[in-house]
């Protein structure tokens, strides 16, 4: 026990001290903050850049709604005083007016033109052509202006007073989604998907980074031949266990720092966003129940041990980093296969694919936490997946320990599958 | 140690096979306590495999190994054994003091107990002087000779009862080589048991109380150095001639009814007689050839010769004589 502790301590301290660990631990949250702030800031910039007030409104409806649309578009870009110019034309001259406007847009006198005709007042369609056609925010503003104006016009046509119709048509509808779990309400749907994706990605990154870290550690022990001194004092199994636990603890430490800073960042996002002059996005930190937290931890630990043991076995089989790249490919492939399914599972967390990936031990540590944070996974599935993962992890550790024991002191040619079988049998 | 008088190591009928060949076949040997014991053999004889089995790094296919009265697979016994492997290395990025502390902890020592001993050893091997403390340096920054010193310390720090050194002299500079010899002698004086493997017979002859020669995984001979020499004595004659040897002398030494083999150093010969041949017949023949004899002496054979005789007969791989 004391020896295992000594190995864990060495693996942990030697890694936590490195520059890379410190850089990654500090820069991870900074990256996250940048990911939150930069898009918000960019959106703000885009909004002011998309000057829709220099749009020409070509009104061929002979109802005068062009002026009302222009009013509704006032204030978006180019200052509150500027509203788009309205050109009322008879329907027969519409084509000519459009050609003129196109020419104006081409020499940048105008940014675009909006066509309102009979189909618009009928509530069917309107057309925009111009420089901002691909700007989502600009188009959303134009669309909303036309839609509410047309709606108001049609209400008035039905006899509703102008004031009343304005009252009825203004006001954006905010759309919130909320997830209902067994315990009641559990935060917004989008937030938990975001959270789930974050967790899955974090697990995937940790396993890749720290699994490879173990791989390199084993190769270092082999190439420097320090392994021989170490295994003359502790059993190779103890060394393997200490390595996996020590490096796992490093990964967990990093994640805790990351999660803690991200949570702090989100909690104080209003003052932080204010510093950049951006309104803070509405965001609710998802509440994780202790049971869910425990399950996430369990999946991470088992998944990490599963992959770490495999990486250690690969490390014991090879003699150099170059060889390791090739030998680690099957392990990496399993991991990448699991990661490829993150997106489809997020979109359809109850589908057949999601269920299947939750049963397979190589993908369940990544897919299951993802599903857990989006939906309520049936208990039978949850327990089954955990049991399968646990048993496979035990099997993998047992196999890896045997390969490790023999491979650690073998130099030279990489073993073939048949030789690997020998190793497993005679250690 | 509960059993202070029993042998340090007892190996019984140990066999180890690898896929293609048998590395050790039916090896039995006893290392008495408090001795310096040499495990001798050509490259590929099975020395390292034997040592690794003693240290429970690899398991024998059959047979038993007892260390200091306990089974070699028992948990804590290796805490009383120090080991310097042939292939040496340290964690390159670790500081010297941390690595020594770690290796001491693996031997069951507490940090508190290890720290003062580490300083003592660093000073003793001049890795820590008034101007420079290499203990705070990373292994990477040390010269090769200094790294070797750190490895000695690692093997001896926990004051083991039994010290196993695999080819300890290979790659050592003369200064470290001398330091190692001094250390072995000092350990022996303090009642510790030291086993070392080597193919350098000169070192073994000067230092070992007892030896075991193995070749091709088989034991060729073992026993105390005195016994081994006595058993092989009486058949080696040191001959020195005055003046250049004549062709007649060459003919006499080539006579296979009298001489088994000869180590010809031009003016000095070590002649090994055929079993049953009389040394007086040889003397008569040499005098009869007209050569002037300066020295004719029945001598104890050197370990080097015994090794060549015994192992040579077993067919050493070409290019791998006793010296190498």
């Amino acid at each position: 026990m004391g020896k295992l502790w000594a190995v864990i301590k060495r693996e942990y301290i030697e890694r936590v001290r490195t520059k890379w660990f410190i850089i990654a631990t500090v820069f991870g949250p900074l990256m996250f903050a940048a990911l939150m702030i930069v898009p918000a800031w960019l959106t703000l910039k885009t909004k002011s850049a998309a000057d829709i007030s220099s749009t020409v409104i070509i009104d061929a409806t002979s109802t005068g709604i062009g002026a009302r649309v222009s009013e509704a578009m006032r204030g978006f870009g180019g200052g509150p005083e500027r509203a788009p110019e309205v050109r009322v034309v008879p329907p027969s001259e519409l084509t000519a007016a459009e050609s003129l406007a196109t020419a104006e847009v081409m020499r940048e006198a105008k940014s675009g033109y909006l066509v309102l005709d009979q189909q618009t007042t009928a509530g069917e369609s309107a057309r925009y052509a111009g420089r901002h056609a691909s700007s989502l925010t600009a188009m959303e503003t134009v669309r909303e202006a036309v839609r509410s104006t047309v709606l108001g016009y049609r209400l008035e046509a039905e006899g509703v007073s102008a004031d009343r119709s304005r009252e009825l048509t203004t006001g954006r509808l905010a759309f919130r989604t909320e997830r209902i779990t067994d315990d009641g309400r559990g935060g917004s749907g989008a937030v938990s998907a975001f959270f789930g994706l974050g967790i899955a990605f974090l697990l995937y990154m940790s396993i890749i980074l720290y699994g490879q870290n173990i791989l390199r550690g084993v190769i270092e022990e082999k190439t420097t031949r320090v392994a021989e001194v170490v295994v003359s004092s502790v059993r190779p199994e103890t060394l393997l266990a200490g390595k996996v636990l020590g490096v796992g603890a490093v990964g967990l430490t990093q994640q805790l720092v990351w999660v803690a800073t991200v949570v702090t960042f989100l909690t104080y996002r209003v003052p932080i966003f204010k510093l950049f002059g951006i309104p803070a996005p509405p965001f609710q930190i998802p509440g994780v129940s202790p049971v869910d937290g425990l399950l996430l931890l369990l999946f991470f630990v088992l998944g990490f041990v599963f992959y770490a043991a495999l990486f250690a076995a690969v490390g014991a089989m090879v003699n150099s980093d170059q060889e390791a790249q090739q030998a680690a490919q099957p392990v990496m492939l399993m991991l990448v296969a699991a990661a490829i399914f993150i997106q489809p599972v997020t979109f359809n967390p109850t589908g057949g694919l999601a269920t299947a990936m939750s049963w397979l031990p190589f993908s369940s540590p990544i897919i299951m936490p993802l599903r857990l944070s989006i939906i309520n996974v049936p208990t039978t599935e949850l327990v089954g997946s955990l049991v399968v993962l646990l048993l496979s992890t035990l099997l993998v550790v047992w196999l890896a320990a045997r390969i490790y024991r023999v491979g650690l002191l073998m130099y030279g040619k990489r073993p073939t599958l048949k030789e690997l079988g020998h190793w497993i049998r005679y250690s | 140690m509960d059993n202070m008088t029993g042998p340090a190591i007892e190996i019984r009928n140990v066999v180890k096979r690898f896929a293609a060949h048998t590395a050790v076949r039916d090896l039995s040997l006893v290392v008495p306590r408090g001795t310096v014991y040499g495990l001798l053999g050509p490259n590929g004889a099975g020395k390292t495999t034997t040592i690794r089995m003693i240290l429970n790094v690899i398991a024998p296919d059959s047979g038993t190994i007892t260390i200091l009265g306990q089974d070699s697979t028992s948990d804590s016994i290796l805490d009383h054994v120090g080991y310097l492997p042939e292939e040496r290395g340290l964690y390159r990025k670790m500081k010297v003091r941390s690595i020594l502390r770690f290796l001491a902890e693996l031997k069951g020592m507490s940090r508190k107990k290890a720290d003062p001993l580490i300083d003592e050893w660093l000073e003793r091997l001049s890795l820590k002087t008034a101007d420079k403390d290499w203990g705070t340096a990373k292994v990477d920054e040390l010269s090769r000779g200094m790294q070797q010193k750190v490895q000695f310390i690692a093997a001896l720090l926990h004051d083991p009862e039994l010290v196993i050194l695999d080819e300890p002299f290979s790659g050592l500079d003369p200064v470290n080589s001398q330091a190692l010899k001094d250390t072995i002698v000092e350990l022996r004086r303090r009642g510790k048991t030291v086993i070392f493997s080597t193919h350098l017979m000169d070192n073994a002859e000067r230092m070992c109380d007892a030896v075991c020669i193995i070749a091709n995984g088989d034991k060729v001979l073992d026993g105390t150095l005195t016994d081994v020499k006595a058993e092989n004595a009486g058949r080696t004659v040191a001959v020195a001639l005055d003046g250049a040897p004549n062709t007649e002398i060459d003919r006499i030494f080539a006579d296979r009814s009298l001489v088994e083999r000869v180590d010809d150093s031009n003016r000095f010969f070590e002649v090994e007689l055929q079993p049953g041949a009389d040394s007086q017949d040889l003397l008569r023949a040499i005098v009869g050839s007209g050569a002037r004899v300066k020295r004719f002496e029945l001598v104890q054979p050197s370990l080097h010769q015994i090794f060549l005789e015994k192992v040579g007969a077993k067919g050493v791989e070409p290019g791998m004589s006793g010296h190498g």
Side-chain angles (χ1 to χ4, degrees):
Chain A
M1 229 20 224
K3 293 183 184 184
L4 176 65
W5 182 239
V7 177
I8 294 175
K9 216 167 50 179
R10 193 198 81 81
E11 298 288 344
Y12 185 83
I13 292 172
E14 290 303 315
R15 280 185 175 76
V16 167
R17 269 199 194 142
T18 57
K19 268 183 231 110
W20 280 116
F21 178 81
I22 295 166
I23 290 172
T25 310
V26 172
F27 277 81
L30 284 183
M31 280 280 289
F32 175 81
L35 278 177
M36 293 286 290
I37 293 169
V38 171
W41 183 74
L42 281 179
T43 323
L44 205 71
K45 282 274 163 199
T46 329
K47 240 180 206 166
S48 51
D51 182 2
I52 56 171
S53 64
S54 70
T55 306
V56 179
I57 298 173
I58 305 174
D59 184 357
T61 60
S62 48
T63 57
I65 65 163
R68 291 170 65 174
V69 171
S70 167
E71 240 354 84
M73 281 165 69
R74 178 189 288 277
F76 287 98
E81 298 312 314
R82 285 187 58 190
E85 181 195 341
V86 182
R87 294 180 190 160
V88 179
V89 294
S92 54
E93 285 169 30
L94 181 59
T95 323
E98 276 193 55
S99 310
L100 177 67
T102 306
E104 281 173 323
V105 173
M106 281 167 71
R107 60 183 152 85
E108 297 194 11
K110 296 287 178 189
S111 70
Y113 61 91
L114 175 68
V115 179
L116 308 172
D117 54 16
Q118 250 87 43
Q119 280 174 319
T120 312
T121 44
E124 281 165 14
S125 69
R127 272 183 297 127
Y128 172 88
R131 303 247 172 222
H132 298 310
S134 52
S135 160
L136 285 177
T137 46
M139 284 312 98
E140 178 60 22
T141 312
V142 174
R143 199 183 72 86
E144 182 59 28
V146 177
R147 198 193 59 83
S148 61
T149 311
V150 170
L151 194 59
Y153 166 78
R154 296 182 73 197
L155 282 170
E156 281 161 43
E158 293 296 320
V160 180
S161 76
D163 287 346
R164 183 81 184 112
S165 86
R166 194 169 303 122
E167 247 177 73
L168 288 171
T169 54
T170 51
R172 272 188 181 213
L173 180 65
F175 188 68
R176 284 212 190 90
T177 53
E178 206 169 356
R179 175 185 165 213
I180 295 177
T181 65
D182 286 355
D183 321 319
R185 288 164 180 231
S188 93
V191 165
S192 52
F194 172 78
F195 178 69
L197 268 174
I199 292 278
F201 191 68
L202 202 63
L203 291 180
Y204 171 69
M205 287 297 290
S206 291
I207 291 173
I208 286 226
L209 284 176
Y210 289 98
Q212 296 213 316
N213 205 309
I214 287 192
L215 175 71
R216 276 198 303 276
V218 174
I219 294 172
E220 195 210 344
E221 278 174 353
K222 261 190 92 165
T223 50
T224 61
R225 315 285 156 120
V226 76
E228 184 140 5
V229 180
V230 175
V231 294
S232 73
S233 301
V234 290
R235 290 165 191 277
E237 291 81 357
T238 313
L239 182 60
L240 177 66
K243 209 171 255 309
V244 170
L245 294 177
V247 177
V250 177
L252 216 53
T253 306
Q254 190 162 60
Q255 286 178 13
L256 284 180
V257 173
W258 283 353
V259 169
T261 31
V262 166
V263 167
T264 315
F265 173 77
L266 291 175
T267 312
Y268 296 103
R269 67 187 182 285
V270 179
I272 294 172
F273 271 80
K274 219 173 195 170
L275 284 179
F276 295 87
I278 311 163
F283 192 87
Q284 200 184 348
I285 298 165
V288 179
S289 72
V291 177
D292 280 354
L294 198 72
L295 283 170
L296 290 182
L297 190 70
L298 208 58
F299 273 107
F300 170 71
V301 170
L302 286 175
F304 179 78
V305 172
F306 180 91
Y307 278 104
L310 284 176
F311 276 117
V314 170
M317 276 160 30
V318 299
N319 300 299
S320 66
D321 284 334
Q322 288 89 329
E323 254 182 77
Q325 301 238 317
Q326 212 184 7
Q329 263 170 13
V331 184
M332 290 297 282
L333 217 60
M334 284 199 282
L335 204 49
V336 171
I340 284 173
F341 290 108
I342 289 180
Q343 212 190 358
V345 169
T346 315
F347 288 136
N348 187 7
T350 49
L353 178 73
T355 315
M357 297 305 276
S358 310
W359 282 97
L360 296 173
F362 69 87
S363 56
S364 67
I366 289 168
I367 297 300
M368 224 22 178
L370 171 64
R371 294 180 67 209
L372 269 175
S373 32
I374 306 176
I375 56 154
N376 241 54
V377 180
T379 314
T380 45
E381 221 178 286
L382 191 61
V383 172
S385 154
L386 265 178
V387 168
V388 172
L389 179 60
L390 180 69
L391 292 180
S392 334
T393 302
L394 289 176
L395 179 72
V396 163
V397 168
W398 182 81
L399 284 174
R402 298 191 143 228
I403 293 173
Y404 187 72
R405 189 181 174 107
V406 179
L408 205 52
L409 299 174
M410 289 271 183
Y411 307 105
K413 197 177 74 71
R414 219 167 87 198
T416 59
L417 272 181
K418 197 175 142 210
E419 283 164 332
L420 214 57
H422 276 294
W423 288 14
I424 291 167
R425 258 175 290 139
Y426 69 34
S427 56
Chain B
M1 293 291 91
D2 36 341
N3 186 1
M4 284 306 292
T5 49
I9 295 181
E10 205 174 346
I11 296 177
R12 288 205 180 285
N13 309 103
V14 160
V15 178
K16 181 70 195 178
R17 278 181 220 93
F18 290 116
H21 74 293
T22 304
V24 173
R25 61 190 99 209
D26 202 29
L27 180 71
S28 296
L29 60 90
V30 173
V31 178
R33 204 172 283 229
T35 55
V36 175
Y37 193 93
L39 196 57
L40 316 178
N43 293 332
K47 291 173 298 199
T48 298
T49 305
T50 306
I51 287 175
R52 283 179 175 176
M53 284 191 289
I54 294 173
L55 288 155
N56 195 29
V57 171
I58 51 177
D61 295 335
S62 62
T64 58
I65 298 173
T66 312
I67 304 173
L68 305 166
Q70 287 184 45
D71 193 84
S72 69
T73 54
S74 75
D75 260 339
S76 60
I77 190 63
L78 290 174
D79 291 355
H80 305 283
V81 182
Y83 176 42
L84 183 69
E86 179 181 8
E87 302 269 16
R88 274 157 249 163
L90 297 165
Y91 293 104
R92 285 179 301 226
K93 300 278 172 217
M94 267 180 105
K95 289 187 177 155
V96 169
R97 202 169 263 111
S98 315
I99 202 168
L100 287 173
R101 199 182 276 152
F102 170 63
L103 292 171
E105 278 179 319
L106 291 188
K107 288 294 185 189
M109 268 180 122
S110 70
R111 194 178 156 156
K112 233 184 220 160
K113 247 182 89 186
D115 279 353
L117 286 173
I118 291 172
D119 281 313
E120 211 175 282
W121 272 101
L122 289 176
E123 279 165 30
R124 191 157 143 189
L125 296 180
S126 28
L127 287 172
K128 187 183 170 192
T129 58
D131 353 300
K132 177 79 190 168
D133 180 7
W134 287 101
T136 55
K138 283 186 182 169
V139 170
D140 259 353
E141 299 160 26
L142 266 59
S143 72
R144 209 171 147 64
M146 286 193 268
Q147 291 189 22
Q148 286 169 347
K149 287 181 184 175
V150 175
Q151 279 149 351
F152 291 172
I153 301 178
L156 300 174
L157 188 62
H158 56 294
D159 195 26
E161 275 306 303
L162 170 65
V163 181
I164 300 178
L165 313 165
D166 195 359
E167 297 287 353
F169 296 100
S170 76
L172 288 201
D173 60 40
V175 177
N176 280 339
S177 200
Q178 189 57 46
L180 179 61
K181 272 181 208 158
D182 294 346
T183 311
I184 293 176
V185 170
E186 201 242 46
L187 286 167
R188 159 83 162 81
R189 211 162 276 150
R190 288 171 48 216
K192 313 287 184 190
T193 309
V194 180
I195 299 179
F196 70 89
S197 78
T198 187
H199 50 218
L200 301 179
M201 295 306 134
D202 294 352
N203 278 325
E205 175 141 23
R206 260 177 283 160
M207 299 171 68
C208 292
D209 299 304
V211 292
C212 171
I213 296 179
I214 55 176
N216 292 331
D218 266 328
K219 181 167 79 179
V220 177
L221 63 82
D222 69 339
T224 64
L225 200 63
T226 329
D227 287 350
V228 167
K229 284 198 162 192
E231 273 163 33
N232 291 280
R235 296 207 288 122
T236 305
V237 182
V239 180
L241 300 177
D242 200 8
N246 53 35
T247 47
E248 188 63 8
I249 294 289
D250 290 340
R251 198 190 51 75
I252 295 166
F253 286 160
D255 178 2
R256 285 288 165 265
S257 66
L258 197 60
V259 174
E260 188 175 317
R261 48 185 299 279
V262 65
D263 189 351
D264 183 348
S265 311
N266 195 26
R267 303 279 293 277
F268 177 80
F269 306 86
E270 252 189 6
V271 183
E272 206 176 305
L273 297 174
Q274 283 293 353
D278 187 352
S279 56
Q280 295 308 312
D281 290 342
L282 178 66
L283 179 60
R284 260 195 296 278
I286 295 172
V287 173
S289 76
R292 296 183 62 83
V293 177
K294 269 178 81 178
R295 177 181 171 206
F296 187 92
E297 186 186 358
L298 272 173
V299 291
Q300 287 212 323
S302 67
L303 198 54
H304 179 69
Q305 269 194 307
I306 297 173
F307 182 89
L308 280 187
E309 183 196 335
K310 296 291 183 182
V311 174
K314 294 207 59 121
V316 185
E317 291 167 67
M320 289 185 184
S321 72
H323 279 301

